[in-house]
């Protein structure tokens, strides 16, 4: 059996081992995505199993791989695969549903703490000699913001949203949430409210919802207008949840005090992205998911997905 990893460097830049996948057969690992669909087909045309991360597995790609029996996405999101056509061809598409819950929630809190405390900025200022030169026992360039008593509004209250809600409550924040459905676990953490109420009440708004047609652009000029003046916005879910020019305008006007973003619409970020020149906009390169522990869980689950398929009982199949 031939297994091909189409773009594995982000998952494993060298600090993990592919051996647990290699046990199933011949393994070929490509670090970076192919530059074209033709190059991708050349890489995987004779594969039995492929492990994509961000490589696009289209109808044409599937048709060009006559041996293909299983697609295991090295991520939770599987929008890179034409899952419907794969199902028509009898090919299960399996994902990794919950490897990064705590990592992503932790990173959302990191973004919030950086905005409210500006730790990195002031550490750099100290190393530049500014504390030594200032003549006082302390100085700060940005207002310090205490989170205790503030209201956090979470849009999308699944596993990650709830984990972040628990962290926020430990910081003394009041937590409200908007979600399509409710659960007893969620009700123990937050007060469920309408989107309209959340936008009006929250001091901090954090996005943890999937990207669906109905959530694309959920943060836009109209929804921002309903928010409190000086609101903080966090997004380490999916870039297209936000209309980027509208957010940049709101940051420039001060309607939004600050934004902490780990995702943007076009990744890697392009030089003309309006958020790059917006004030108080903290952008990191899509790394919420990337702690070694979380990436190891991706490999562990992928191994289990392959093993279950070989046993005739596919698991985590999103199209069957």
């Amino acid at each position: 059996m031939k297994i091909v990893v189409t773009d594995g460097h982000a998952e494993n830049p060298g600090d993990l081992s592919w051996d647990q996948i290699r046990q199933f057969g011949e393994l070929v690992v490509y670090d970076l995505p192919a530059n074209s669909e033709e190059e991708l087909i050349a890489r995987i045309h004779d594969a039995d199993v492929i492990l994509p991360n961000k490589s696009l597995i289209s109808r044409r790609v599937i048709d060009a791989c006559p041996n293909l029996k299983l697609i295991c996405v090295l991520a939770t999101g599987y929008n890179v695969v034409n899952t419907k056509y794969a199902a028509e061809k009898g090919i299960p598409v399996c994902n990794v549903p919950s490897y990064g819950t705590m990592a992503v929630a932790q990173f959302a809190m990191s973004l919030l703490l950086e905005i409210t405390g500006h730790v990195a900025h002031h550490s750099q200022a100290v190393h530049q000699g500014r504390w030594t030169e200032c003549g006082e026992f302390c100085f700060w360039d940005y207002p310090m913001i205490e989170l205790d008593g503030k209201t956090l509004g979470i849009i999308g209250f699944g596993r990650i949203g709830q984990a972040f809600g628990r962290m926020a409550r430990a910081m003394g924040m009041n937590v409200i949430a908007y979600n399509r459905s409710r659960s007893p676990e969620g009700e123990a953490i937050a007060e469920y409210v309408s989107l309209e109420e959340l936008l009006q009440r929250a001091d901090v708004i954090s996005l943890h919802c999937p990207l669906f047609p109905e959530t694309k652009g959920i943060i836009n000029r109209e929804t921002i207008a309903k928010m409190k003046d000086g609101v903080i916005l966090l997004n380490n879910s999916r870039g297209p949840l936000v209309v980027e020019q509208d957010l940049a305008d709101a940051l420039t006007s001060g309607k939004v005090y600050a934004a902490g973003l780990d995702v943007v619409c076009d990744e890697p970020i392009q030089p003309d992205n309006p958020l790059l020149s917006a004030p108080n906009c903290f952008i990191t390169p899509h790394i919420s998911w990337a702690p070694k522990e979380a990436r190891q869980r991706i490999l562990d689950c992928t191994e289990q997905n392959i093993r279950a398929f070989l046993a005739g009982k596919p698991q985590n199949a999103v199209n069957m």
Side-chain angles (χ1 to χ4, degrees):
M1 182 169 71
K2 183 173 182 179
I3 306 167
V4 178
V5 179
T6 64
D7 50 320
H9 185 263
E11 160 62 20
N12 179 14
D15 55 352
L16 301 176
S17 172
W18 292 108
D19 286 349
Q20 64 193 105
I21 307 300
R22 187 173 285 110
Q23 66 176 304
F24 297 113
E26 176 190 357
L27 178 66
V28 179
V29 178
Y30 293 93
D31 282 337
L32 299 178
N35 291 316
S36 66
E37 196 168 65
E38 288 73 18
E39 183 181 352
L40 177 60
I41 289 171
R43 291 179 177 185
I44 67 174
H45 70 279
D46 58 347
D48 299 284
V49 179
I50 60 171
L51 278 58
N53 190 335
K54 294 296 182 284
S55 294
L56 297 178
I57 310 302
S58 67
R59 181 187 186 108
R60 179 174 175 235
V61 169
I62 293 170
D63 279 339
C65 301
N67 298 335
L68 189 58
K69 303 175 182 66
L70 176 67
I71 301 172
C72 288
V73 183
L74 295 170
T76 300
Y78 48 87
N79 57 299
V80 295
V81 181
N82 187 329
T83 53
K84 183 178 179 180
Y85 188 62
E88 291 176 11
K89 301 280 283 189
I91 302 170
V93 177
C94 301
N95 73 336
V96 182
S98 60
Y99 70 92
T101 298
M102 296 309 298
V104 176
Q106 175 183 305
F107 201 87
M109 183 57 74
S110 298
L111 290 169
L112 180 56
L113 293 176
E114 181 59 31
I115 288 169
T116 56
H118 293 273
V119 173
H121 169 84
H122 288 106
S123 175
Q124 184 179 39
V126 169
H127 284 88
Q128 291 170 342
R130 291 183 54 203
W131 193 14
T132 305
E133 297 166 357
C134 79
E136 294 192 66
F137 78 94
C138 71
F139 77 94
W140 58 87
D141 289 332
Y142 296 92
M144 302 289 104
I145 299 173
E146 185 176 277
L147 293 174
D148 183 58
K150 300 291 193 300
T151 297
L152 169 65
I154 300 177
I155 300 176
F157 209 49
R159 287 185 295 263
I160 295 172
Q162 290 180 22
F164 185 44
R166 290 193 295 271
M167 294 178 186
R169 286 189 58 173
M171 301 289 291
M173 300 188 77
N174 306 309
V175 182
I176 59 178
Y178 168 70
N179 199 61
R180 291 185 301 175
S181 59
R182 302 187 178 197
S183 71
E185 295 80 9
E187 289 174 341
I189 300 166
E191 174 192 357
Y192 282 98
V193 297
S194 67
L195 178 61
E196 188 92 3
E197 184 174 349
L198 184 146
L199 295 171
Q200 293 172 356
R201 288 177 54 188
D203 301 295
V204 179
I205 295 175
S206 192
L207 304 179
H208 297 287
C209 52
L211 178 61
F212 293 135
E214 60 268 29
T215 59
K216 184 177 181 180
I218 194 170
I219 301 301
N220 56 57
R221 189 176 307 276
E222 289 72 30
T223 53
I224 291 171
K226 298 175 182 178
M227 298 177 189
K228 287 184 176 182
D229 292 344
V231 68
I232 293 170
L233 179 72
L234 308 175
N235 183 19
N236 63 337
S237 182
R238 291 291 183 267
L241 297 172
V242 176
V243 178
E244 291 175 336
Q245 185 63 61
D246 292 354
L247 176 57
D249 292 344
L251 286 162
T252 300
S253 71
K255 173 67 177 182
V256 174
Y257 168 69
L261 312 172
D262 188 46
V263 289
V264 292
C265 291
D266 190 4
E267 298 175 345
I269 196 167
Q270 299 303 298
D272 61 350
N273 190 305
L275 294 168
L276 287 173
S277 56
N280 276 354
C281 191
F282 298 75
I283 308 173
T284 51
H286 202 146
I287 52 175
S288 297
W289 69 284
K292 183 178 180 180
E293 296 87 346
R295 290 182 288 109
Q296 181 61 58
R297 285 192 288 272
I298 292 176
L299 280 180
D300 293 344
C301 185
T302 301
E303 175 191 351
Q304 295 163 11
N305 286 345
I306 296 173
R307 192 180 302 280
F309 170 77
L310 293 175
K313 300 178 180 178
Q315 66 174 22
N316 299 318
V318 299
N319 65 334
M320 296 287 178

